[in-house]
Amino acid sequence: MFGDLMGMMGKLKETQQKIEETKKRLDTVLIDEQSSDGLLKVTLTANRTVKAVTVDDALLEDKEQLEDYLVLVFNKAIAKATAVNEAELAAVAQDGMPNIPGMDFLK
């Protein structure tokens, strides 16, 4: 029994390390998003850190339009980055889950 418990603890520790490695790797995964007309472009990491924003000069003439574009494009980029982040971390966590009787509903 204690051997099983020690094995599970080791597997959980290994999984935690893999999760941390995955989080670091997600800092290098870039998500690009742009407005439908290409006037605004943003780049985020899969950990949702802004890396770049490119604004066409045409948007600088209309503050309200620029604000609307920023909200729309950032929300789309954040949604994509979140999906990538959650999928990657879930895959690592799922792979590292110890086989605990009665907990198979998580799969």
Side-chain angles (χ1 to χ4, degrees), residues 9-74:
M9 294 301 288
K11 183 123 173 129
L12 287 172
K13 188 172 184 173
E14 180 182 316
T15 299
Q16 182 62 36
Q17 182 179 354
K18 286 181 181 178
I19 287 172
E20 292 304 316
E21 290 169 0
T22 299
K23 286 180 180 179
K24 286 180 185 175
R25 185 179 57 77
L26 290 173
D27 277 333
T28 66
V29 175
L30 299 179
I31 307 297
D32 294 314
E33 187 60 57
Q34 66 180 359
S35 59
S36 58
D37 57 10
L39 296 178
L40 178 73
K41 299 174 185 176
V42 299
T43 301
L44 307 178
T45 68
N47 282 327
R48 296 170 300 271
T49 300
V50 177
K51 288 296 194 180
V53 178
T54 306
V55 180
D56 189 278
D57 289 341
L59 286 176
L60 298 178
E61 298 170 9
D62 187 344
K63 179 180 181 247
E64 190 173 305
Q65 182 183 16
L66 174 57
E67 291 169 345
D68 291 343
Y69 271 54
L70 286 168
V71 169
L72 292 171
V73 175
F74 269 106

